Amino acid sequence: MIYYATASTERVRDAMRADLLGQIITPAAGNRLEDWVDWIADNGIYSNAYPGDKGYLRWLDSHADQRARCRFAVAPDVVADHQGTYARSLPMLRPIREVVGRVAFCAQNGATPTTMPWDQIDAVFLAGIVECVPCGWVPAIETLPQTICRHCGRQLVEWKVSDMAAAITAEAKSLGKWVHMGRVNSEQRLTRAREMGVDSADGTYIAYGPDINLIRLLGWLYPNDFRWMRAEQRTTARPKPASVTALPTELDGQGDLFEFVTAA
């Protein structure tokens, strides 16, 4: 599985250059694309940062010279609303593909394997929010976070890890489509994505304590890969100076986390 992250620190960029991570970019983030790194483009709608259809296409066009490495760009969607997403995305599917080569459709709450525009897309982006599976209730996004259904009192679950999302994933794979899961920020969620057959994921996990969480994430992704294991040894084996009375909350940033890759 490929994990796409924001190029937030030099160590994260080193991981991308070592093919341990891909890069995700959005119109509002302003991050430049790393050379020779596989990338995806998100539309920014979930964070209320979408620049409009014309602005989005202009922004994608500014990266069109690197389209060969673009796995997909996400078409505009409506959070937690499949019908609204279908109507909003349909006119943009072809223009996005013409600019960057591949387009992803957001599977939101209410989507089914028979209601996806399979002939017009290259990838599925599993999105959505929590819902009550037994009664079908989906809370308004502005009321999140919520964990209990206000109608039947049952536990809410993330739609993207539901049986319906798994069924959409299976159909997509049978048709040769790429499947991506958004907002994957825990080992449990990553494990579920793998169980479903998802090809890639993204999340903000690295952004919170990037040096420490980068190592943890690479451990989840590559439990038997010597590269991240060597990196962990380099960043945790230094003795504490006698003058230091408390360990820092972040790694000290000395050295290049992945310099051993170029020496291999």
Side-chain angles (χ1 to χ4, degrees), residues 89-112:
S89 290
L90 214 59
M92 288 286 286
L93 297 178
R94 182 173 179 180
I96 290 172
R97 180 186 285 114
E98 289 176 347
V99 174
V100 293
R102 301 181 184 90
V103 62
F105 178 86
C106 275
Q108 298 280 0
N109 301 70
T112 70

Side-chain angles (χ1 to χ4, degrees), residues 205-242:
Y205 181 73
I206 296 177
Y208 302 98
D211 289 334
I212 295 174
N213 287 347
L214 173 60
I215 294 298
R216 290 173 179 163
L217 175 64
L218 295 180
W220 302 340
L221 291 168
Y222 311 106
N224 299 313
D225 193 318
F226 79 95
R227 293 178 295 176
W228 77 265
M229 295 169 68
R230 286 273 302 280
E232 183 177 38
Q233 292 170 4
R234 283 174 52 81
T235 56
T236 60
R238 300 187 185 96
K240 183 177 72 172

Side-chain angles (χ1 to χ4, degrees), residues 115-162:
T115 60
M116 298 286 289
W118 295 118
D119 293 341
Q120 302 179 63
I121 63 175
D122 306 286
V124 175
F125 189 108
L126 297 176
I129 62 173
V130 293
E131 68 176 19
C132 179
V133 175
C135 72
W137 179 69
V138 180
I141 188 171
E142 59 269 17
T143 67
L144 297 178
Q146 292 197 50
T147 59
I148 302 298
C149 177
R150 67 172 58 174
H151 298 292
C152 68
R154 292 182 173 89
Q155 187 79 23
L156 300 179
V157 299
E158 283 282 354
W159 182 86
K160 65 170 62 71
V161 297
S162 67

Side-chain angles (χ1 to χ4, degrees), residues 132-209:
C132 179
V133 175
C135 72
W137 179 69
V138 180
I141 188 171
E142 59 269 17
T143 67
L144 297 178
Q146 292 197 50
T147 59
I148 302 298
C149 177
R150 67 172 58 174
H151 298 292
C152 68
R154 292 182 173 89
Q155 187 79 23
L156 300 179
V157 299
E158 283 282 354
W159 182 86
K160 65 170 62 71
V161 297
S162 67
D163 290 343
M164 184 59 70
I168 291 173
T169 298
E171 181 68 12
K173 300 303 294 180
S174 73
L175 296 171
K177 311 293 183 180
W178 188 270
V179 182
H180 178 91
M181 183 180 289
R183 302 197 308 278
V184 175
N185 295 306
S186 68
E187 185 176 16
Q188 181 181 14
R189 182 65 57 81
L190 190 68
T191 298
R192 173 58 176 162
R194 278 181 165 143
E195 291 171 350
M196 292 169 59
V198 169
D199 298 294
S200 62
D202 75 85
T204 57
Y205 181 73
I206 296 177
Y208 302 98

